[in-house]
Amino acid sequence: MHRIDLERVTLQEQLLRFTHFDANTAWELGCRLRHKAFERQQSLVIDITVNGFQLFCCAMEGTTPENTDWARRKRNVVQRFQRSSYAMGLHFSLKQVDLMEKYGLPSSDYAAHGGCFPIRVSDVMVGTVVVSGLPQRDDHNLVIEVLCEMLHQPIEQLRLP
């Protein structure tokens, strides 16, 4: 299952790219994520950061500061490796190593768990979108679902099996 998910996430990372991304795009993405979570009665922290500048942040009813910290730690992984946090978690699980062992990165600052995805404009990573509050695979799937809608990509081909 890990290998299948990792292959699918790699495809997601290749196809889910913007032609432009600005504050208005961040607002739309954040609002779409919040709306989906609200409809499903899910509690999330949502964060969209571009070039180190937080453009969207929302802590929904039922979240705690722990969710915000998870979001920060996931974002750090994506900024460091320029891959989704779920892809990195799968990669390290398959290699049977962790971030501290391999790179000296403490778990207090880095979390290779699903929910953070790189925002790319063409081939350049410009930021991150992260959600925290659900099980990691569900966090990842929610981000992918909304990105597919915004970027007019077929969710059937990109959804995790």
Side-chain angles (χ1 to χ4, degrees):
M1 170 107 131
H2 286 336
R3 287 190 196 286
I4 294 168
D5 274 8
L6 188 54
E7 288 172 8
R8 184 63 54 93
V9 173
T10 299
L11 180 62
Q12 293 167 351
E13 291 173 346
Q14 291 168 355
L15 296 178
L16 297 175
R17 297 175 181 215
F18 291 85
T19 55
H20 74 281
F21 197 93
D22 59 16
N24 292 325
T25 314
W27 181 258
E28 180 183 353
L29 176 56
C31 288
R32 283 179 181 230
L33 284 164
R34 186 190 178 284
H35 182 73
K36 280 229 186 278
F38 186 79
E39 280 183 329
R40 297 171 183 177
Q41 299 179 336
Q42 298 168 328
S43 297
L44 296 175
V45 163
I46 304 164
D47 175 282
I48 301 170
T49 301
V50 173
N51 296 322
F53 185 54
Q54 189 178 56
L55 296 178
F56 186 95
C57 182
C58 174
M60 296 175 69
E61 188 73 33
T63 59
T64 69
E66 184 71 14
N67 298 110
T68 303
D69 193 51
W70 271 97
R72 175 189 65 84
R73 293 164 53 220
K74 292 178 199 182
R75 183 177 59 244
N76 286 346
V77 167
V78 176
Q79 289 173 337
R80 171 79 181 237
F81 297 101
Q82 298 199 359
R83 298 274 329 260
S84 74
S85 56
Y86 190 53
M88 293 310 300
L90 293 170
H91 171 78
F92 288 123
S93 177
L94 288 168
K95 298 285 183 185
Q96 298 182 343
V97 296
D98 65 21
L99 289 166
M100 184 64 174
E101 181 182 317
K102 180 84 173 166
Y103 296 99
L105 302 174
S107 62
S108 60
D109 288 322
Y110 294 85
H113 296 274
C116 190
F117 198 82
I119 296 171
R120 293 189 194 285
V121 174
S122 298
D123 291 335
V124 179
M125 187 178 122
V126 298
T128 57
V129 52
V130 59
V131 301
S132 177
L134 305 173
Q136 66 167 334
R137 199 168 192 265
D138 296 337
D139 276 347
H140 179 84
N141 277 330
L142 179 63
V143 171
I144 297 309
E145 183 180 341
V146 172
L147 287 174
C148 282
E149 289 174 4
M150 283 187 72
L151 296 169
H152 308 289
Q153 291 289 334
I155 187 68
E156 301 79 26
Q157 294 174 1
L158 294 176
R159 178 184 290 128
L160 294 176

Coordinates of all heavy atoms in Angstrom, one line a residue, residues 16-62:
L16 N -0.5 18.6 -10.3 CA -1.2 19.6 -9.5 C -0.4 20.9 -9.3 O 0.2 21.1 -8.3 CB -1.8 19.1 -8.2 CG -2.8 17.9 -8.3 CD1 -3.2 17.4 -7.0 CD2 -4.0 18.4 -9.1
R17 N -0.3 21.6 -10.4 CA 0.5 22.8 -10.5 C -0.3 24.0 -11.0 O -1.1 23.8 -11.9 CB 1.8 22.6 -11.3 CG 2.7 21.5 -10.7 CD 3.8 21.1 -11.6 NE 4.6 20.1 -11.0 CZ 5.9 20.0 -11.0 NH1 6.6 20.9 -11.7 NH2 6.5 19.0 -10.4
F18 N 0.0 25.1 -10.5 CA -0.7 26.3 -11.0 C 0.1 27.0 -12.1 O 1.3 26.9 -12.2 CB -0.8 27.3 -9.8 CG -1.8 26.8 -8.7 CD1 -1.3 26.0 -7.7 CD2 -3.1 27.2 -8.7 CE1 -2.2 25.5 -6.7 CE2 -4.0 26.8 -7.7 CZ -3.5 26.0 -6.7
T19 N -0.6 27.9 -12.9 CA 0.0 28.7 -13.8 C 0.4 30.1 -13.2 O 1.3 30.8 -13.7 CB -0.8 28.9 -15.1 OG1 -2.1 29.4 -14.7 CG2 -1.0 27.6 -15.9
H20 N -0.4 30.4 -12.2 CA 0.0 31.6 -11.3 C -0.6 31.3 -9.9 O -1.6 30.5 -9.8 CB -0.6 32.9 -11.9 CG -2.1 33.0 -11.8 ND1 -3.0 32.3 -12.6 CD2 -2.8 33.7 -10.9 CE1 -4.2 32.6 -12.2 NE2 -4.2 33.4 -11.2
F21 N -0.1 32.0 -8.9 CA -0.6 31.9 -7.6 C -0.3 33.2 -6.9 O 0.8 33.6 -6.8 CB 0.1 30.7 -6.8 CG -0.7 30.3 -5.6 CD1 -1.6 29.2 -5.7 CD2 -0.5 30.9 -4.4 CE1 -2.3 28.8 -4.6 CE2 -1.2 30.5 -3.3 CZ -2.1 29.4 -3.4
D22 N -1.4 33.8 -6.4 CA -1.3 35.0 -5.6 C -2.2 35.0 -4.4 O -2.8 33.9 -4.1 CB -1.6 36.2 -6.6 CG -3.0 36.2 -7.2 OD1 -3.9 35.4 -6.7 OD2 -3.3 36.9 -8.1
A23 N -2.4 36.1 -3.8 CA -3.2 36.2 -2.5 C -4.6 35.8 -2.8 O -5.3 35.1 -2.0 CB -3.1 37.6 -1.9
N24 N -5.2 36.2 -4.0 CA -6.5 35.8 -4.3 C -6.7 34.3 -4.5 O -7.7 33.7 -4.1 CB -7.0 36.6 -5.5 CG -7.2 38.0 -5.3 OD1 -7.6 38.5 -4.2 ND2 -6.9 38.9 -6.3
T25 N -5.7 33.7 -5.1 CA -5.7 32.2 -5.3 C -5.6 31.5 -3.9 O -6.3 30.6 -3.7 CB -4.5 31.8 -6.2 OG1 -4.5 32.6 -7.3 CG2 -4.7 30.4 -6.6
A26 N -4.8 32.1 -3.1 CA -4.7 31.5 -1.7 C -6.0 31.6 -1.0 O -6.4 30.6 -0.3 CB -3.6 32.2 -0.9
W27 N -6.7 32.7 -1.1 CA -7.9 32.9 -0.4 C -9.0 31.9 -1.0 O -9.7 31.3 -0.2 CB -8.4 34.3 -0.6 CG -9.7 34.6 0.0 CD1 -11.0 34.7 -0.5 CD2 -10.0 34.8 1.4 NE1 -12.0 34.9 0.4 CE2 -11.4 35.0 1.6 CE3 -9.1 34.9 2.6 CZ2 -11.9 35.2 2.9 CZ3 -9.7 35.1 3.8 CH2 -11.1 35.3 3.9
E28 N -9.0 31.7 -2.3 CA -10.0 30.8 -2.9 C -9.7 29.4 -2.4 O -10.6 28.6 -2.0 CB -9.9 30.9 -4.4 CG -10.9 29.9 -5.1 CD -10.9 29.9 -6.6 OE1 -10.2 30.8 -7.2 OE2 -11.5 29.0 -7.2
L29 N -8.4 29.0 -2.4 CA -8.1 27.6 -2.0 C -8.4 27.4 -0.6 O -9.0 26.4 -0.2 CB -6.5 27.4 -2.3 CG -5.9 26.1 -1.8 CD1 -6.6 24.9 -2.4 CD2 -4.4 26.1 -2.1
G30 N -8.1 28.4 0.3 CA -8.4 28.2 1.7 C -9.9 28.2 2.0 O -10.3 27.3 2.8
C31 N -10.6 29.0 1.3 CA -12.1 29.0 1.5 C -12.7 27.7 1.0 O -13.6 27.2 1.6 CB -12.7 30.2 0.8 SG -12.4 31.8 1.6
R32 N -12.2 27.2 -0.1 CA -12.7 25.9 -0.6 C -12.4 24.8 0.4 O -13.3 23.9 0.6 CB -12.1 25.6 -2.0 CG -12.7 26.3 -3.1 CD -12.0 25.9 -4.4 NE -12.5 26.7 -5.5 CZ -12.8 26.1 -6.7 NH1 -12.8 24.8 -6.8 NH2 -13.2 26.8 -7.7
L33 N -11.2 24.7 0.9 CA -10.9 23.7 1.9 C -11.8 23.8 3.2 O -12.3 22.9 3.7 CB -9.4 23.9 2.3 CG -8.4 23.4 1.3 CD1 -7.0 23.9 1.7 CD2 -8.4 21.8 1.3
R34 N -12.0 25.1 3.6 CA -12.8 25.3 4.8 C -14.2 24.9 4.5 O -14.9 24.2 5.4 CB -12.8 26.8 5.3 CG -13.5 27.0 6.6 CD -13.7 28.5 6.9 NE -14.4 28.6 8.1 CZ -15.7 28.4 8.2 NH1 -16.5 28.1 7.2 NH2 -16.4 28.6 9.4
H35 N -14.8 25.2 3.4 CA -16.1 24.9 3.0 C -16.3 23.4 3.0 O -17.3 22.9 3.5 CB -16.5 25.5 1.7 CG -17.9 25.3 1.3 ND1 -19.0 25.9 1.9 CD2 -18.4 24.4 0.3 CE1 -20.1 25.4 1.3 NE2 -19.8 24.5 0.4
K36 N -15.4 22.6 2.4 CA -15.5 21.2 2.3 C -15.5 20.6 3.7 O -16.3 19.7 4.1 CB -14.4 20.6 1.5 CG -14.6 20.7 0.0 CD -14.4 19.3 -0.6 CE -14.5 19.5 -2.1 NZ -15.8 19.4 -2.6
A37 N -14.6 21.0 4.5 CA -14.4 20.5 5.9 C -15.7 20.8 6.7 O -16.2 20.0 7.4 CB -13.2 21.1 6.6
F38 N -16.2 22.0 6.5 CA -17.5 22.4 7.2 C -18.6 21.6 6.8 O -19.4 21.1 7.7 CB -17.8 23.9 7.0 CG -18.9 24.4 7.8 CD1 -18.8 24.8 9.1 CD2 -20.2 24.6 7.2 CE1 -19.8 25.2 9.9 CE2 -21.3 25.1 7.9 CZ -21.1 25.4 9.3
E39 N -18.8 21.3 5.5 CA -19.9 20.5 5.0 C -19.8 19.1 5.6 O -20.8 18.4 5.8 CB -19.8 20.4 3.5 CG -20.3 21.5 2.7 CD -20.3 21.2 1.2 OE1 -19.3 20.5 0.7 OE2 -21.1 21.7 0.5
R40 N -18.6 18.6 5.8 CA -18.3 17.2 6.3 C -18.3 17.2 7.8 O -17.9 16.1 8.4 CB -17.1 16.7 5.6 CG -17.2 16.5 4.1 CD -15.9 16.2 3.5 NE -16.1 16.2 2.1 CZ -15.1 15.9 1.2 NH1 -13.9 15.7 1.7 NH2 -15.3 16.0 -0.1
Q41 N -18.5 18.3 8.4 CA -18.4 18.4 9.9 C -17.0 18.0 10.4 O -16.9 17.3 11.4 CB -19.5 17.6 10.6 CG -20.9 18.1 10.1 CD -22.0 17.4 10.8 OE1 -21.9 16.2 11.2 NE2 -23.2 18.0 10.9
Q42 N -16.0 18.4 9.7 CA -14.6 18.2 10.1 C -14.0 19.4 10.7 O -14.4 20.5 10.3 CB -13.8 17.7 8.9 CG -14.3 16.4 8.3 CD -13.7 16.2 6.9 OE1 -13.3 17.1 6.2 NE2 -13.5 14.9 6.6
S43 N -13.1 19.3 11.7 CA -12.4 20.4 12.3 C -11.0 20.4 11.9 O -10.3 19.4 12.1 CB -12.5 20.3 13.8 OG -13.8 20.3 14.3
L44 N -10.6 21.5 11.2 CA -9.2 21.6 10.7 C -8.6 22.9 11.0 O -9.3 23.9 11.1 CB -9.3 21.5 9.1 CG -9.8 20.2 8.5 CD1 -9.8 20.4 7.0 CD2 -8.9 19.1 8.9
V45 N -7.3 22.9 11.0 CA -6.5 24.1 10.8 C -6.0 24.1 9.4 O -5.6 23.1 8.9 CB -5.3 24.1 11.8 CG1 -4.2 25.1 11.4 CG2 -5.7 24.3 13.2
I46 N -6.2 25.2 8.7 CA -5.8 25.4 7.3 C -4.8 26.5 7.2 O -5.0 27.6 7.8 CB -7.0 25.7 6.4 CG1 -8.1 24.6 6.6 CG2 -6.6 25.9 5.0 CD1 -9.4 25.1 6.1
D47 N -3.7 26.3 6.6 CA -2.6 27.3 6.4 C -2.1 27.3 5.0 O -1.8 26.2 4.5 CB -1.5 27.0 7.4 CG -0.3 27.9 7.3 OD1 0.5 27.7 6.3 OD2 -0.1 28.8 8.1
I48 N -2.0 28.4 4.4 CA -1.4 28.6 3.1 C -0.3 29.7 3.2 O -0.6 30.8 3.5 CB -2.5 28.9 2.0 CG1 -3.5 27.9 2.0 CG2 -1.8 29.2 0.6 CD1 -4.7 28.2 1.1
T49 N 0.9 29.2 2.9 CA 2.0 30.1 3.0 C 2.7 30.2 1.6 O 3.0 29.2 1.0 CB 3.0 29.6 4.1 OG1 2.3 29.6 5.3 CG2 4.2 30.5 4.2
V50 N 3.1 31.4 1.2 CA 3.8 31.6 -0.1 C 5.0 32.4 0.2 O 4.9 33.5 0.8 CB 2.9 32.2 -1.1 CG1 3.7 32.6 -2.4 CG2 1.7 31.3 -1.5
N51 N 6.2 31.9 -0.2 CA 7.4 32.7 0.0 C 7.6 33.1 1.4 O 8.0 34.3 1.7 CB 7.6 33.8 -1.0 CG 7.6 33.4 -2.4 OD1 8.2 32.3 -2.7 ND2 7.0 34.1 -3.3
G52 N 7.3 32.3 2.4 CA 7.4 32.6 3.8 C 6.4 33.5 4.4 O 6.5 33.9 5.5
F53 N 5.4 33.9 3.6 CA 4.3 34.8 4.0 C 3.0 34.1 4.1 O 2.5 33.5 3.1 CB 4.2 36.0 3.0 CG 3.3 37.1 3.4 CD1 3.4 37.7 4.6 CD2 2.3 37.5 2.5 CE1 2.5 38.7 5.0 CE2 1.4 38.5 2.9 CZ 1.5 39.1 4.1
Q54 N 2.4 34.1 5.3 CA 1.1 33.4 5.5 C 0.0 34.2 4.8 O -0.3 35.3 5.2 CB 0.9 33.2 7.0 CG -0.3 32.3 7.3 CD -0.5 32.1 8.8 OE1 -0.6 33.1 9.5 NE2 -0.4 30.9 9.2
L55 N -0.6 33.6 3.8 CA -1.7 34.3 3.1 C -3.1 33.9 3.5 O -4.0 34.6 3.3 CB -1.5 34.0 1.6 CG -0.3 34.6 0.9 CD1 -0.3 34.2 -0.6 CD2 -0.2 36.1 1.1
F56 N -3.2 32.7 4.1 CA -4.5 32.2 4.6 C -4.2 31.4 5.9 O -3.3 30.5 5.9 CB -5.2 31.4 3.6 CG -6.6 30.9 3.9 CD1 -7.7 31.7 3.5 CD2 -6.8 29.8 4.7 CE1 -9.0 31.3 3.8 CE2 -8.1 29.4 5.1 CZ -9.2 30.2 4.6
C57 N -5.0 31.6 6.9 CA -4.9 30.8 8.1 C -6.3 30.7 8.7 O -7.0 31.8 8.9 CB -3.9 31.4 9.1 SG -3.8 30.4 10.6
C58 N -6.7 29.5 9.1 CA -8.0 29.3 9.7 C -8.0 28.2 10.7 O -7.5 27.1 10.3 CB -9.1 29.0 8.6 SG -10.7 28.6 9.2
A59 N -8.5 28.4 11.9 CA -8.6 27.4 12.9 C -10.1 27.2 13.1 O -10.7 28.1 13.7 CB -7.9 27.7 14.1
M60 N -10.6 26.1 12.7 CA -12.0 25.8 12.8 C -12.4 25.4 14.2 O -11.5 24.9 14.9 CB -12.5 24.8 11.8 CG -12.3 25.2 10.3 SD -12.6 24.0 9.1 CE -14.4 23.8 9.3
E61 N -13.7 25.5 14.5 CA -14.2 25.1 15.8 C -13.8 23.6 16.0 O -13.9 22.8 15.1 CB -15.7 25.2 15.8 CG -16.3 25.0 17.2 CD -16.1 26.1 18.2 OE1 -16.0 27.3 17.7 OE2 -16.0 25.8 19.3
G62 N -13.3 23.3 17.2 CA -12.9 22.0 17.6 C -11.4 21.7 17.4 O -11.0 20.6 17.8

